Amino acid sequence: MSTVVAQSLHVFGLRSHVANNVFFFDEQTIIFPSGNHCVKYNVDQKWQKFIPGSDKSQGMLALSISPNRRYLAISETVQEKPVITIYELSSIPSRKRKVLSNFEFPVHKFISMAFSPDSKYLLTQTSPPESNLVYWLWEKQRIMAMVRTDAQNNPVYQVSFNPQDNTQVCVTGHGMFKLLRFAEGTLKQTNFQRGEPQNYLAHTWVADDKIVVGTDTGRLLLFESGDQRWETSIMVKEPTNGSKSLEVIQESESLIEFPPVSSPVPSFEQAVRTSSHSPLAMPQVFAIAAYSKGFVCSAGPGRVLLFEKLEDKDFYRESREIRIPMDPQSNDPSQSDKQDVLCMCFSPSEETLIASTSKNQLYSITMSLTEISKGEPAHFEYLTYPLHSAPITGLATCIRKPLIATCSLDRSVRLWNYESNTLELFKEYPEEAYTISLHPSGHFIVVGFADKLRLMNLLVDDIRSFKEYSVRGCRECSFSNGGHLFAAVSGNVIHIFTTTSLENISNLKGHTGKIRSIVWNADDSKLISCGTDGAVYEWNLSTGKRETECVLKSCSYNCVTISPDAKIIFAVGSDQTIKEIADSSILREMSAFDITYTTIAISHSGRMVFVGTSMGTIRAMKYPLPLQKEFNEYQAHAGPVTKMLLTFDDQLLLTAAEDGCLFTWRVFDKDGRGIKREREVGFAEEVLVTKTDMEEKAQIMLELKTRVEELKMENEYQLRLKDLNYSEKIKELTDKFIQEMESLKTKNQVLRTEKEKQDISHREHMEDLLDKQNRELQDLESCNNQKLLLEYEKYQELQLKSQRMQEEYEKQLRDNDETKSQALEELTEFYEAKLQEKTTLLEEAQEDVRQQLREFEETKKQIEEDEDREIQDIKTKYEKKLREEKESNLRLKGETGIMRKKFNSLQKEIEERTNDIDTLKGEQVKLQGIIKSLEKDIQGLKREIQERDETIQDKEKRIYDLKKKNQELEKFKFVLDYKIKELKKQIEPRENEIKVMKEQIQEMETELERFHKQNTQLELNITELWQKLRATDQEMRRERQKERDLEALVRRFKTDLHNCVAYIQEPQLLKEKVRGLFVKYVQRADMVEITGLNTDLQQEYARQREHLERNLATLKKKVVKEGELHRTDYVRIMQENVSLIKEINELRRELKFTRSQVYDLEAALKLSKKIRPQEVTDSAPSRDKLSITPTMRLNEQEETGRIIEMQRLEIQRLRDQIQEQEQVPGFHTLAGTRLPSLSSEVDFEVQTK
């Protein structure tokens, strides 16, 4: 096996023609077929998990999920043989549980399947001509029953189980509706078809024995136990507004009978209405799904109808219509929604409906939305994204963006994002698209259509063509790796265009057949092409000529690629091999093992090779290519792989096929050598936008803003109207409440009188019951006591009888045993005597009667057997007697037991009577509790009446307060106008002051920078002085060391001299010793006079040391002083900066507050104008009350004046500090910088006053 591994990551596509192709696994997860996989897709978290098809599978035909959501059955064709695989969905990953492959009956393929309600049985339907319905016990792979459903080779569309019964199944098809029941190992039909056979397309169970069936003529039939109970027809109607809708046109409540000819049922000709596009046929009901309220069915192209059950009848009525929405990106939006709905299913909670269509699309809708949209039809939404509905013919990717570009025979171009797994752009065109290429930057694409080659811009929300070339039927195109060139194939000619001037710079001619594939080398200097003529050419683009060629006419090449070093060309074709071509010759051929390769791709590292096959599988192998079967094969598509690419970073493999699915695979080498390529730059996020689009959007924004303002005004007007309506309603409600209170009071009085009457009657009844109960108790006690005495006496008599009987039977048994033993002894003695006689006779006549010996022995045996029989007969006789005696004994014991039981039953009756008494007492307690609860209810009602009175009073007070406030607002009208003008005047000087403050902050920041520079200079000076200090210390240490050495030398000299003094009496020895001292201590270089040198050195050293110490002390003082000055300056500047920032923030807050207040007051004035325009004239005399009412606003003005005064004092204090600092020697302020004067602040204060 190869070390190159591919893991399926995501898929874009659906196979809609698989039977039962979408269903829910749980509330968030759905399962659908895509390629040759079943995909588990989580709708919320957007992840996908894959269940791959069987090896060598030719595609899935039908799916079925068990009712408990645990098992999934897949019908496939593997090597021309049908196979059913059952997966266990609960395990992760899903594993195969059973494979049904060896069949004892003829079968071509299984076209429909269904699980039983308990998931133990599986129902499968084979295709014509066999058309067998097979009933499986699938766990044991055993066929329980099999029956042929149709003998006329008509197609069967659907089989199903009764959701409540394992034994009842339903089959529908062309001219076929059968109900069968499994019994005694066979499937027997239980219904008989009446009337003309119809083409039944779909069915569903709506109840235990009720089935709704849909036909190809738009008829819905309800069958109960096989008999028709209800029928309705759907037809296409063209209403006056031009849009086509579906509606139920006829509903017959016939029992079994069909409507007569004279009934108003429209004929097929009447139902088919012509439109501007095409004549409409009767809607075909391809899918029906049941839910708790009724069922939902497809009703023609792009339509789904909801039917709900009528409450009092067993019939259904149409309640809602759901449509597939028109696609604005489609070439013909009016036809984009014309898709047949093939399968539908509800989520387990019935909150979501999912539908799959004939164009490979998945749609969903929440059922709550259908209830909201009353009158108008609801619309589906895409479950994921619009998918391809035809084979994908082109695939491309780029370097700068995580984009995949695809084109298809469905006339669409789509751009996918493989990082987020989303659809970025999508557009349909009038012609089929055969090939596509994406510019390395991700901003342009080249698409080959049937009529032209188009170069297009990828805008933020559109794909727009900006250059067209008359290259018809272009089947291959490709941008160069640098993006400056692109090549397009037309038949057997390759056209080379430049992307800068958009001109055709050369045409490469040489192929005799159609060119199937082209590829650029790494530096774009060469182009490699292959075709159906068996030729592989390498073109030099600078000369436009062929450099190398390799022709093999027996092979029709499908795809070609080149190694990253551009030395080896890889080609695959119809001869089922991979060829390595270099220098116009085939180096190696690797066999494909009986399969045709359709495409090939090599990684940018050159270590991984991937090939796609005509079976839809993908093979991953390592380079150099192996000669044996050393590759990994993966199930991918349900059709031949058409295109295959690797992303620029070698992390993902992209594959597209004729099944319309796009797969992304994570690829890696287990060895991991040189595979992963790290991206130096991340993906680009730039997009193209046209100027006109930007202007249009700006215009739309302006229009929307004006619309918002208009809506605000409308809303305000509506609110005022509502207030008036609500005030009227409040009055009506108060009147109603008063009436209800009076009626409740009367009811309360009536209830009290009734309650008193019931209390009296209840007491009397209770007393009667207690008297009766006491009497009955006394009677029962006396009767039971007498019965007990009688029964006890009978029991004692029977006990005595049983004892006597036992003694008698024991005596009889003893006698029988004695007689039996005596008889046995006598018989044994008798036969022993006989035996002795016979033995003597035998001894005497032994020689004479040898021949009669056998006969004698036989007679002997017979006699013995007879005797044994006699003994056994006696035994059985006596044993019978014993049994009879025992039985009689047991009978007597049983009678005694019965008597005991009777005694116990009497005791139980007594207990039951006591229990009845207890229950009666409990009922009495309950009745008392009910009386108490009723009293509590009465009190609660009283409280509620009081509370309602209070609420009414509160509302009246509120209404009075609101009226007062309204009057006050009208009084404030002129005052607020004046205040608004004043505030507007105040705002302008504040803004000027803010500008001045900002300038001052900038100046302070420059001063701060200067201080930072001074700091750095001082730090440099300090470091120099520290270096000098260290040098002087080192010199001082050296001098001290010298001094120590000299002192040691002097000491040694003194000792030696002391030793010489000992020889003072001996001149000769003294002379020698002195000479030795001279030699030892006096060197030749030191012959100079050095007597006064030491003293001079010491003096100079001391002088220099004192000088340095003085310098150091003065420098330290300077550093400390300057540090303190710098610190104080820095703190002062920071404080000033903070105070100024605070001041600016406070001014901004105040400005914002004043603006909001102005806005609120303007809004209030507008409201007061519109509510009461008649009271405007009364606002003029209210000016006298201005000083009393707006107290809050005056307080705010006083507060702002106080704040300004505090700020002015703070600024004066800061200026005093600056002047003091200027007087300090050694401190220099910034040249030409002065703080602003207080004149502006004084002016501002005057204005505010």
Side-chain angles (χ1 to χ4, degrees), residues 176-233:
M176 184 193 317
F177 170 69
K178 291 185 179 181
L179 287 171
L180 300 103
R181 189 172 286 281
F182 174 70
E184 299 175 357
T186 58
L187 284 165
K188 294 178 182 177
Q189 188 172 349
T190 59
N191 71 320
F192 299 97
Q193 291 187 18
R194 298 173 185 178
E196 294 179 5
Q198 300 185 51
N199 190 3
Y200 299 106
L201 297 178
H203 70 266
T204 188
W205 297 79
V206 291
D208 293 346
D209 55 353
K210 292 178 184 176
I211 306 172
V212 173
V213 186
T215 70
D216 62 345
T217 58
R219 295 177 69 188
L220 291 172
L221 310 169
L222 175 68
F223 291 93
E224 184 175 0
S225 302
D227 298 330
Q228 185 180 330
R229 300 294 182 194
W230 173 78
E231 177 186 351
T232 186
S233 296

Side-chain angles (χ1 to χ4, degrees), residues 125 288 531 753 906 965 1145 1162 1188:
Q125 175 66 48
I288 307 178
T753 53
L906 288 166
K965 280 182 183 177
N1145 287 332
E1162 283 176 353
I1188 300 162

